[in-house]
Amino acid sequence: MRTLHHRTSMRASVAAAALVSLSLALAGCTIGASVSPTTPRPQATAGADPTPRPGSIASLGEPEELTTGLEAPWGLTFLPDGSALVSERISGRILRIPAGGGEAEPVGIVPGVEVSSEGGLLGIVASPEFAADRTVFASVSGADQNRIVALTIDEDFGSLTLDRMLLDGIQTADRHHGGRLAIGPDGHLWIGTGDAFEPENAATDDSLNGKILRIATDGSVPEDNPDASPIYSSGHRNVQGLAFGPDGTAYASELGHRTWDEVNVLRPGEDYGWPETEGIAGDTGMPPIATLHPDDASPSGMAYAAGSLWIGALGGQRLWQLPVDGGTAIADPIEHFVGEYGRIRTVEVAPDGALWLITSNTDRATWGGTDPRPGDDRILRVPIVRAGA
């Protein structure tokens, strides 16, 4: 059994610079955390001074409503024709959204979905070869374990079939399922899992929970994975956001406990501190590149576009923008749409470069609920105004 270990040599090399930046960040924000000055961590925090030149960061245009009337939507994936598929957590349905928006069209119900407070049908992602293989991968909460499955969508989008199971043995629970899926630039399937509400799961190789998993789309373990295991990294509490920069940098957003939510850069074989460390509070694991207070965030889906990470907030009911470059946060996190649309579950980049946001206000079983607005839940299209445009 592997347990979390100290990163003393790495921390020592950045301690002096990090202590200065952390002090500035904490001075400008309302955090409510007690942080020891002996545990500085290099990261950006809401309230820190931005460093890029004015006008060098992308901004957002006016949102456009694409679809309404969804019930507890969770995952979203785009298809080659520009349309999208969306999963509903509680119903287990997959629906198709026309490229230009419009009424959601039912495709089918995924078999074997077991609903709990946070479990059900979660993330979905289309195969890179969808036009040929008609395959969509899904994260499914079951009665005895969670699993990653491959589904086949028929040519007319009128039905789906459970084709095969790629990975099982992920512990199920009432909460903390993770559930986000993404296809990386390496062509592999990346999976965020939660600790199943048992924090010790995150710190041991005996569990697939509290991890980032990476497998090939046929279910095999890539040769360059650490320890010939599906486990790519460990020490995560509840990962619901995965995104990749243009240089291949892998990012994850992670729901914290009481004090810090995290944005991390993923490195093979590394641990990220949980349960001994939460955000900047502690001295184990890889440090996050940014932290946010759970009241302002509780991050779920995340996407990369135009030099920034775009992170949906559940409890915080807003969209966060984190400018990044090569795995480094280069400015203070920026908030958008505070309270305007309620909880934001998923963020994806459409083929035309705009963001699609999924709200999560009908999903009343989960923490941080809000009263649904008329038409909830909905999908919004938000254009990105690129810096210098």
Side-chain angles (χ1 to χ4, degrees), residues 51-381:
T51 55
R53 299 184 309 275
S56 64
I57 297 174
S59 58
L60 295 178
E62 288 297 316
E64 171 193 0
E65 190 173 272
L66 295 178
T67 301
T68 61
L70 301 175
E71 299 178 9
W74 212 99
L76 175 73
T77 186
F78 286 97
L79 302 179
D81 65 358
S83 66
L85 300 178
V86 61
S87 60
E88 291 185 331
R89 183 180 75 83
I90 297 172
S91 71
R93 296 193 304 171
I94 290 180
L95 306 100
R96 185 181 182 218
I97 313 299
E103 185 175 354
E105 305 161 353
V107 175
I109 297 176
V110 177
V113 172
E114 187 78 13
V115 178
S116 59
S117 289
E118 295 179 0
L121 176 60
L122 303 177
I124 57 173
V125 65
S127 162
E129 307 299 328
F130 179 85
D133 62 25
R134 309 293 298 180
T135 297
V136 171
F137 306 105
S139 177
V140 176
S141 301
D144 54 351
Q145 60 184 334
N146 296 342
R147 58 199 185 278
I148 309 302
V149 302
L151 309 166
T152 300
I153 308 292
D154 81 340
E155 293 286 342
D156 297 325
F157 295 97
S159 66
L160 59 81
T161 305
L162 178 60
D163 182 30
R164 63 192 185 278
M165 181 170 61
L166 275 67
L167 182 68
D168 61 358
I170 304 169
Q171 181 180 335
T172 194
D174 189 55
R175 298 170 60 188
H176 290 197
H177 295 258
R180 191 66 62 184
L181 304 182
I183 299 290
D186 53 12
H188 295 318
L189 184 61
W190 294 62
I191 305 155
T193 69
D195 64 10
F197 224 55
E198 295 182 14
E200 61 273 15
N201 282 338
T204 172
D205 281 343
D206 292 346
S207 173
L208 297 178
N209 293 79
K211 308 294 193 300
I212 300 294
L213 309 178
R214 176 177 178 258
I215 60 175
T217 55
D218 63 1
S220 63
V221 176
E223 292 184 359
D224 58 346
N225 265 25
D227 302 322
S229 163
I231 298 173
Y232 188 82
S233 61
S234 61
H236 302 283
R237 184 172 182 266
N238 193 16
V239 174
Q240 291 189 10
L242 292 168
F244 300 89
D247 59 356
T249 299
Y251 299 91
S253 59
E254 179 171 339
L255 291 107
H257 185 216
R258 303 287 186 198
T259 309
W260 299 105
D261 294 327
E262 301 179 8
V263 179
N264 288 300
V265 169
L266 301 176
R267 308 292 186 195
E270 296 290 357
D271 75 67
Y272 287 79
W274 181 254
E276 293 183 29
T277 292
E278 178 188 353
I280 64 172
D283 60 0
T284 61
M286 293 288 289
I289 65 167
T291 57
L292 296 163
H293 194 285
D295 289 346
D296 299 326
S298 300
S300 190
M302 178 172 64
Y304 176 94
S308 289
L309 295 172
W310 307 88
I311 307 163
L314 296 172
Q317 299 188 23
R318 68 199 72 184
L319 177 70
W320 283 102
Q321 176 185 3
L322 179 66
V324 293
D325 183 19
T328 300
I330 60 172
D332 180 21
I334 304 162
E335 55 189 6
H336 303 273
F337 313 131
V338 179
E340 292 185 34
Y341 301 105
R343 293 153 44 94
I344 298 177
R345 170 69 68 184
T346 293
V347 185
E348 295 289 350
V349 180
D352 66 0
L355 299 178
W356 282 29
L357 313 181
I358 290 181
T359 67
S360 185
N361 300 320
T362 58
D363 197 346
R364 302 304 300 278
T366 56
W367 178 85
T370 186
D371 290 335
R373 293 142 169 82
D376 275 342
D377 269 313
R378 66 195 70 231
I379 296 177
L380 302 168
R381 178 187 180 275

